[in-house]
Amino acid sequence: MDLRFGVFIPQGWKMELASIADPAAKWHKAVEIAVLAEDLGYDSLWVYDHFHNVPVPAHETMFECWTTLAAISQRTERIMLGQMVGCAPYREPSILAKITSNIDVISGGRLIWGIGAGWYEHEFNGYGYEFPAPSDRIRMLRETVEIVTAMWSEPDVSYKGRHYTLDGAQCDPKPLQSPRPQVLIGGGGEQLTLRVVARLGDASNFGGKPDEFAHKCEVLRGHCDDVGRNYHDIQKTWSPEVFVRESEQEIIDGGTRSFVGEPFDSWVAGNLVGTPEQVAEKVQQYIELGCTGFYPWCSDYPDTETMRLFAERVIPEVRAVNG
């Protein structure tokens, strides 16, 4: 079983860098943790594609997705580089093909391309993007994946869709990875998004407590059957929050660390929260549901205790159990 473990780096989206005053020092911390992720043996590092903080915009630093990855690609050597996930309506698919191809080349073939339909309406309005209905955003997502993957492989691309039209677009250099970088599509919309995953994705990403995750998997399986796709060819991934401490009492004393104020019991149930042994058991539960990619966000950033415990205590235990 090819299990993959990644971790987010701090960008400021969840206000995790607010305790550091100087923007340059915030960036230094992001780079420091990216390098540490590689040193600790993580398979991938991840960034968000957002402009404003959550739960509400707060005039706090939020490092942009693609410039961050470009810089981090030059400070790391092995670790894969992913976005969880890019917002399709924020960039024309043609320029996104160019960006992703460049990142794959300058990183030495380490891109995982994460893409989704977008949801943060305040960002759309603030940055002057139209905020279409969900069905239109998902159609934009589908057309974006079709265009980008075509431009990765074809010399010249012409395309006429509902939202995008191209006439002889060229994208050179092409990505280094063969046959292409992994296309990870984020979102759990059962009628439309998961059907796009079934048609075009190499990997899915959706959340939920175990019963919710299992249900999404079955919906995805149904779409795969409908479009003639082998369900097992699509990697299932999960990106919860993670908070690990040596003792259970430390977890209880810390209370909920949910950035949206989710009650403690619910937050623990839907995320990787607990001692190393408890978190390893939770990971195993999702593995048994078919999940093989675990890409969590550390709830104690800019502290790195969770990041280290997950790498040094949880991942080895899970790998040992699963061969």
Side-chain angles (χ1 to χ4, degrees):
M1 181 183 296
D2 186 20
L3 296 173
R4 311 299 290 175
F5 293 93
V7 68
F8 281 83
I9 64 172
Q11 292 169 267
W13 189 48
K14 299 181 181 180
M15 304 291 290
E16 70 274 14
L17 295 174
S19 63
I20 302 172
D22 178 35
K26 294 176 193 283
W27 174 246
H28 178 78
K29 177 59 67 174
V31 174
E32 173 189 307
I33 288 178
V35 172
L36 177 61
E38 184 163 79
D39 291 343
L40 288 171
Y42 282 97
D43 299 307
S44 56
L45 62 80
W46 296 83
V47 296
Y48 293 110
D49 186 17
H50 285 291
F51 308 136
H52 290 170
N53 319 102
V54 287
V56 295
H59 297 292
E60 171 57 32
T61 291
M62 174 61 211
F63 291 113
E64 190 273 335
C65 168
W66 289 109
T67 49
T68 296
L69 279 187
I72 294 299
S73 76
Q74 303 304 293
R75 297 297 303 271
T76 54
E77 297 179 355
R78 173 198 57 80
I79 199 164
M80 299 296 289
L81 310 171
Q83 319 83 52
M84 193 63 69
V85 283
C87 177
Y90 286 174
R91 301 167 190 87
E92 288 287 322
S94 50
I95 190 64
L96 193 52
K98 173 64 79 171
I99 292 169
T100 51
S101 293
N102 280 13
I103 292 288
D104 199 56
V105 170
I106 70 176
S107 69
R110 293 188 282 135
L111 172 73
I112 300 171
W113 182 40
I115 190 70
W119 59 269
Y120 197 175
E121 185 174 1
H122 194 286
E123 286 182 339
F124 278 79
N125 294 336
Y127 274 70
Y129 294 105
E130 292 184 12
F131 188 64
S135 59
D136 288 323
R137 297 202 307 277
I138 294 165
R139 289 188 188 98
M140 294 170 76
L141 165 65
R142 175 179 58 78
E143 292 186 15
T144 294
V145 176
E146 291 173 346
I147 290 169
V148 170
T149 53
M151 290 181 64
W152 281 350
S153 60
E154 299 173 19
D156 300 274
V157 174
S158 295
Y159 182 95
K160 187 170 181 59
R162 181 180 300 188
H163 299 281
Y164 303 110
T165 300
L166 279 67
D167 183 12
Q170 300 178 5
C171 183
D172 299 285
K174 305 297 187 192
L176 298 184
Q177 295 182 69
S178 180
R180 69 183 192 188
Q182 185 184 70
V183 178
L184 181 151
I185 298 176
E190 296 182 7
Q191 294 185 338
L192 298 176
T193 302
L194 292 181
R195 191 169 183 84
V196 176
V197 175
R199 288 187 54 206
L200 301 173
D202 302 315
S204 64
N205 185 271
F206 42 77
K209 298 177 176 66
D211 59 326
E212 297 165 337
F213 187 91
H215 172 70
K216 299 291 186 185
C217 286
E218 287 308 304
V219 173
L220 176 59
R221 186 191 299 271
H223 285 306
C224 287
D225 291 343
D226 289 343
V227 303
R229 182 84 184 275
N230 185 339
Y231 167 78
H232 298 290
D233 287 345
I234 299 173
Q235 184 190 26
K236 271 65 72 179
T237 73
W238 182 40
S239 299
E241 296 185 19
V242 59
F243 181 63
V244 189
R245 288 294 184 266
E246 292 283 3
S247 72
E248 191 170 355
Q249 192 60 49
E250 289 178 272
I251 302 293
I252 296 170
D253 291 344
T256 182
R257 288 176 174 260
S258 166
F259 70 95
V260 293
E262 185 179 7
F264 177 76
D265 289 345
S266 178
W267 178 66
V268 170
N271 293 282
L272 293 175
V273 180
T275 65
E277 296 77 16
Q278 290 170 334
V279 170
E281 289 177 5
K282 289 186 178 185
V283 170
Q284 187 62 39
Q285 186 175 10
Y286 281 84
I287 290 173
E288 291 168 4
L289 295 174
C291 186
T292 59
F294 296 85
Y295 310 138
W297 184 84
C298 299
S299 294
D300 55 355
Y301 278 151
D303 181 63
T304 58
E305 184 174 356
T306 285
M307 186 182 180
R308 292 176 183 277
L309 284 171
F310 193 77
E312 296 170 352
R313 299 278 301 279
V314 176
I315 295 175
E317 174 66 21
V318 172
R319 290 198 189 279
V321 170
N322 292 279

